[in-house]
């Protein structure tokens, strides 16, 4: 599979520096190519196969639009999301690709989560306390409301093309790969 997103940067979660992680804990760099733990450049758009036995958690920042696309060209389809980038300016990428040998994964879980976020902290332990310390939290006054949308789409993978963007209406635009 290939992950496309209009991100500028990658920020890797701190704290987990096990050998099964491809990326060094706390690293950051430009999307989509970064130096891995071994110093070799990794294109993070390409999702490793289960046999890779890896795991990573990172954030995509500097999004100029709110969308992401996960395409499986071998099966000929993809899934994508579109959201309000002002509301959710960060995309969290969690990859458990048969890399964790202990509870609860036991090297048998091949899963990836993509989640639009309002704010994040790469520090470990992170969470809301770190977000508040950094002044990134969103506050909602008592009785106030916020409304936003998230659109999910399935699309046909087009040979020799990659997803260029997904509109807020769920329209998938392609670009020719070179």
């Amino acid at each position: 599979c290939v992950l496309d997103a209009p991100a500028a940067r990658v920020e890797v979660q701190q704290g987990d520096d096990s050998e099964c992680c491809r990326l060094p804990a706390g690293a950051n760099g430009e999307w989509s190519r970064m130096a891995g733990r071994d110093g070799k450049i990794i294109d993070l758009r390409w999702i490793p196969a289960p046999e890779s036995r890896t795991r990573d958690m990172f954030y995509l920042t500097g999004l100029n639009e709110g969308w992401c696309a996960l395409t499986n060209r071998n099966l000929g389809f993809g899934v994508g999301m579109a959201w309000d980038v002002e509301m959710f300016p960060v995309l969290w990428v969690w990859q458990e690709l048969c890399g964790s040998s202990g509870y609860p994964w036991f090297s048998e879980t091949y899963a990836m989560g993509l989640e639009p976020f309002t704010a994040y902290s790469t520090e470990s332990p992170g969470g809301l306390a770190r977000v508040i310390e950094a002044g990134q939290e969103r506050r909602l006054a008592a009785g106030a409301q916020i409304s936003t949308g998230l659109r999910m789409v399935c699309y046909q993978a087009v040979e020799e093309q990659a997803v260029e963007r997904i509109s807020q209406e769920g329209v998938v635009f392609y670009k020719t790969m070179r």
Side-chain angles (χ1 to χ4, degrees):
C1 290
V2 176
L3 173 63
D4 288 303
R9 308 261 325 141
V10 177
E11 298 195 35
V12 181
Q13 183 70 35
Q14 294 181 12
D16 187 2
D17 204 22
S18 68
E19 291 180 18
C20 63
C21 294
R22 295 181 301 156
L23 300 171
N28 61 69
E30 292 183 23
W31 170 253
S32 67
R33 299 172 61 81
M34 282 187 62
R37 289 171 43 88
D38 60 3
K40 294 179 182 172
I41 298 299
I42 300 169
D43 187 343
L44 295 172
R45 293 178 324 114
W46 293 94
I47 310 305
E51 298 78 30
S52 67
R53 299 208 175 277
T54 66
R55 72 168 189 234
D56 284 293
M57 188 164 86
F58 53 90
Y59 303 91
L60 299 184
T61 63
L63 298 171
N64 59 29
E65 291 183 283
W67 66 268
C68 66
L70 186 63
T71 307
N72 185 321
R73 290 194 182 96
N74 291 336
L75 296 178
F77 78 95
V79 294
M81 292 188 288
W83 65 89
D84 178 357
V85 73
E86 297 296 321
M87 181 69 71
F88 301 108
V90 176
L91 181 66
W92 173 50
V93 180
W94 167 75
Q95 297 176 331
E96 178 54 53
L97 309 176
C98 299
S100 297
S101 59
Y103 177 83
W105 313 120
F106 303 111
S107 298
E108 295 185 11
T109 301
Y110 184 71
M112 184 167 83
L114 301 169
E115 185 175 345
F117 257 49
T118 57
Y120 69 101
S121 172
T122 61
E123 295 182 36
S124 185
L128 182 58
R130 298 284 188 180
V131 169
I132 292 171
E133 284 176 18
Q136 295 178 345
E137 79 278 10
R138 296 241 171 152
R139 294 188 181 247
L140 189 60
Q145 296 180 10
I146 293 178
S147 178
T148 190
L150 173 74
R151 184 165 311 255
M152 298 288 302
V153 297
C154 294
Y155 54 89
Q156 183 175 355
V158 178
E159 216 172 294
E160 303 297 322
Q161 294 191 336
V163 175
E164 182 173 38
R165 68 182 288 261
I166 299 175
S167 73
Q168 293 295 302
E169 295 76 30
V171 177
V172 179
F173 295 88
Y174 299 94
K175 63 183 173 187
T176 300
M177 295 185 311
R178 295 176 201 164

